[in-house]
Structures are given as structure tokens and as C-alpha cells.
Amino acid sequence: MNLPDAEVLCQELARRLRLGVTHSTGLVGIRTGGAWLAERLHRELGLATPLGTLDISFYRDDFDTAGLHHQVKPSQIPFEVNDAHIVVVDDVLYTGRTVRAAMNELFDYGRPGRIELAVLVDRGERQLPIAAQYVGATLAVPQGKLLRLARDEQGKFSLRLSDARPPDAKPAA
């Protein structure tokens, strides 16, 4: 399967975001790929509000089966969340469960005035009623595959396909 150029998708996503955000919009990236993307978009959009990051590990609905990721880092929201316009950024929108977990984490910091979602790729197949307002591209991904954002040492983005872990597989110890 030929994957689109992630750098081109990032430029398209930035173009679309320019139409909907203001200088005071808060951008919050979901670790890891969403945080990388949010960092780039924050810089390109020149937003005044500091960049935030979310680690949703404790809010995942598969926490009891997937276990704790070995690199959990605290979330950081360095701006006032109450009544703020916040755009949550993630690399790939799939089932919607990651975004649901991110909103749960975000509400621990306050009650935003409005939350929107920006994703590099929407691959469909939603399990929850979640939709992105800003999308770089919509892409059909083969069943049993995961689509992930990669970043090299120079900060250049690329997309990678990998096999999904079977639902009954145990996490590595």
C-alpha cells in the first residue's frame, strides 16, 4: 500500500487550521504522534497560547488488558483550560477511543469553552461518535494494520503501517 507523504499532509492540516483558530487557541497534542504534530503546528501557526501535551495512559478503556506503557509522562497544560477554545491534536483517528480518553484527561484541568479535533489522517472505522473538524487526509487502511506517524532525527514526518496486536495478546513485560 502506498502511503501519502506525511509532510504534505501536515502542510494541508496547518492550512485548514489557519481558517479555524485564533492567536489565543490552545493546542494540545496527544502523546506521542499527536504531540509531535501539535509541536509542529503550534510553531507554524504562531499561536500565543503555550503548547499542551496529554498522556492518556490512565484513561484508556483497555488499561486493564493493555497495561501501563513504560514511558508514561505527566500531561502538561500550561494555560487556563476553563472557557478556552482548545484543539486536541492526534496523528491518526481510528476508533475514537484515544480521543475520548484525551477529553477525560483534559476535563481534569477544567471545563473548556469548546474542544475541536485535528488529525493528520482519519482512517474511519469509528467505534464512538467522534469526528475531527480538521483532517489532513482520509485514508482506508487494511484490516489488521495500524497506521503510525514516525519522526526522524531531523524532525521529518513519515507514515508507517504495522501489524495490529491480536486482542488476546498480552503486553510485553
Side-chain angles (χ1 to χ4, degrees):
M1 170 177 197
N2 283 341
L3 296 175
D5 184 326
E7 288 292 327
V8 171
L9 295 183
C10 185
Q11 292 169 4
E12 177 61 20
L13 184 57
R15 185 188 68 75
R16 291 178 182 182
L17 271 167
R18 273 188 195 92
L19 302 175
V21 301
T22 67
H23 201 57
S24 62
T25 298
L27 218 56
V28 178
I30 301 173
R31 284 202 173 93
T32 300
W36 295 339
L37 185 57
E39 182 181 299
R40 170 90 61 87
L41 292 169
H42 189 269
R43 187 174 57 246
E44 288 184 18
L45 296 170
L47 301 177
T49 305
L51 177 64
T53 57
L54 290 173
D55 189 317
I56 61 158
S57 298
F58 294 113
Y59 288 89
R60 293 184 56 91
D61 60 7
D62 62 353
F63 181 80
D64 59 338
T65 57
L68 187 59
H69 191 275
H70 68 281
Q71 294 180 354
V72 174
K73 297 178 182 175
S75 295
Q76 296 178 333
I77 311 290
F79 57 85
E80 178 61 42
V81 169
N82 288 316
D83 298 320
H85 171 208
I86 297 174
V87 177
V88 174
V89 180
D90 203 7
D91 52 355
V92 179
L93 177 56
Y94 182 24
T95 63
R97 293 179 181 282
T98 297
V99 176
R100 184 216 42 91
M103 288 191 295
N104 285 355
E105 170 83 4
L106 190 57
F107 272 89
D108 282 352
Y109 288 84
R111 187 176 188 274
R114 181 172 71 188
I115 299 173
E116 292 183 305
L117 178 61
V119 297
L120 192 64
V121 176
D122 183 344
R123 66 169 283 176
E125 302 181 54
R126 217 78 72 239
Q127 295 174 354
L128 299 174
I130 305 265
Q133 287 69 44
Y134 308 98
V135 178
T138 301
L139 182 65
V141 176
Q143 192 74 2
K145 296 287 186 183
L146 293 177
L147 182 65
R148 298 190 188 274
L149 183 66
R151 183 175 71 170
D152 67 17
E153 294 81 26
Q154 290 77 38
K156 184 177 178 188
F157 292 145
S158 61
L159 291 170
R160 305 271 188 254
L161 272 181
S162 64
D163 291 326
R165 186 176 74 200
D168 58 346
K170 298 290 184 213

